[in-house]
Amino acid sequence: MKLSTLLASWATASLAATIPLSPQTAATRRIPTSYESAVLGRRILALTPLGTLSTVFPDDHAPNPSTRENRPAGLAGMPHGLMEYLSDCGGDGNPTILAISIETSFKNAAAGSNVSASLQWTPPHPPAKRIQSEAKSWVGRAWDYLVGAGEVNDEEIADPSTYSAANLPRFSLLGYIEQIEGGDESKELAKCFVDTHPDAKYWLPGNRIHESHFVRLVVTQIYWIGGFGDRAFIGWIPLEEWTKVTKAEWEAVSLPGEKKGWKEWKFEGDL
Ligand SMILES: *[C@@H]1O[C@H](CO)[C@@H](O)[C@H](O)[C@H]1NC(C)=O
């Protein structure tokens, strides 16, 4: 037997058993349903304290002049996204937000804009192996495997580029802002929000600096991209599926990279 043949059969056998060199095979791959994606999305909502809130500027003659203060003319219809603190205090899929009245997003909402919140899943641990940037022969991959190339040190977590974000779930909750009745007086709601965002205690409703109110984003549509389309659901999640998901259901699944040593190509442990 030629050395290369020997090496090839050894490499094929040992590598196949230990690392996923290629995407899951078609035989084992199953695209999650929209409901399974809703469960993952509800887990992301529960575990992710930040989102990007998007609104649209009202026209220059919007009825409430306070919503047009301090902004240039001619912005009507312009979309506008800004980071916002979110919390899953409602537990019903409608994120809780502490709205500061002078913030542009909430001025736009007060002037009638619909609102969307964009969230993405960021794994707490980097993957043990990265998706490679170049197509390699099995010899190259075997060599990489032997020398440990592509392995990511867990200390490198501060570098957000240690994972493929395109392969991870993100979604957008579309709807409108609604004040939470009795929310500003609710100690329970304040505690829930401050548990997620300790610094927000300085701008709770009734503080001396800024007028603020607890609001919810009432979700009416959900657009989901679970990752690469050959293994993830991409599309609209029906509202009734989004709201039906229980805490027990989202607590029972896990997202990529919640545990150390995950592989970027694999969607582990969830379905
Ligand atoms: C908000 O979205 C709804 C559809 O969900 C639409 O009917 C309504 O006109 C929108 N409002 C504004 C101000 O664009």
Side-chain angles (χ1 to χ4, degrees):
M1 195 186 264
K2 281 198 339 213
L3 178 63
S4 62
T5 318
L6 182 67
L7 201 54
S9 55
W10 165 81
T12 309
S14 64
L15 292 178
T18 50
I19 53 168
L21 289 173
S22 59
Q24 287 167 276
T25 61
T28 59
R29 191 184 301 148
R30 181 179 73 82
I31 308 261
T33 63
S34 58
Y35 191 74
E36 287 164 334
S37 303
V39 174
L40 296 175
R42 289 287 300 276
R43 183 170 180 86
I44 294 172
L45 176 62
L47 301 181
T48 306
L50 302 179
T52 299
L53 223 57
S54 296
T55 56
V56 176
F57 283 100
D59 70 43
D60 291 337
H61 309 289
N64 180 356
S66 70
T67 63
R68 311 196 300 267
E69 274 166 21
N70 301 319
R71 70 172 174 90
L75 284 175
M78 189 70 85
H80 182 251
L82 275 181
M83 181 278 286
E84 194 57 54
Y85 283 9
L86 307 175
S87 192
D88 187 28
C89 296
D92 58 358
N94 298 315
T96 301
I97 304 168
L98 181 50
I100 309 265
S101 304
I102 60 159
E103 256 186 58
T104 307
S105 302
F106 302 108
K107 279 191 195 172
N108 286 353
S113 170
N114 283 315
V115 175
S116 78
S118 158
L119 283 89
Q120 70 198 70
W121 173 243
T122 305
H125 302 289
K129 291 266 179 196
R130 292 235 46 197
I131 292 172
Q132 298 292 324
S133 60
E134 46 193 307
K136 288 193 177 174
S137 68
W138 70 266
V139 182
R141 291 185 312 213
W143 176 253
D144 283 358
Y145 177 67
L146 290 171
V147 300
E151 275 172 23
V152 179
N153 185 332
D154 207 45
E155 271 68 62
E156 291 170 34
I157 186 131
D159 176 5
S161 67
T162 52
Y163 55 83
S164 167
N167 189 30
L168 292 169
R170 62 275 195 186
F171 59 98
S172 160
L173 302 173
L174 289 74
Y176 57 90
I177 293 285
E178 174 182 89
Q179 197 145 337
I180 298 176
E181 219 174 302
D184 294 354
E185 294 76 43
S186 167
K187 290 210 161 56
E188 197 190 340
L189 186 53
K191 180 180 183 310
C192 171
F193 199 83
V194 171
D195 278 351
T196 313
H197 301 288
D199 54 338
K201 70 177 180 190
Y202 295 114
W203 58 93
L204 284 172
N207 79 87
R208 290 201 212 134
I209 307 162
H210 289 304
E211 193 197 63
S212 67
H213 300 287
F214 277 117
V215 300
R216 65 170 73 87
L217 170 57
V218 182
V219 176
T220 56
Q221 314 268 6
I222 304 98
Y223 186 71
W224 170 267
I225 299 183
F228 297 145
D230 64 342
R231 71 203 61 202
F233 175 72
I234 296 178
W236 297 90
I237 293 176
L239 179 61
E240 58 277 15
E241 293 188 357
W242 179 255
T243 49
K244 201 176 123 197
V245 174
T246 63
K247 189 175 182 194
E249 282 176 297
W250 65 250
E251 279 182 340
V253 297
S254 68
L255 293 154
E258 286 199 51
K259 295 187 198 86
K260 288 185 182 181
W262 62 291
K263 312 276 195 318
E264 282 201 301
W265 280 120
K266 211 167 159 231
F267 208 113
E268 285 168 302
D270 56 309
L271 302 170

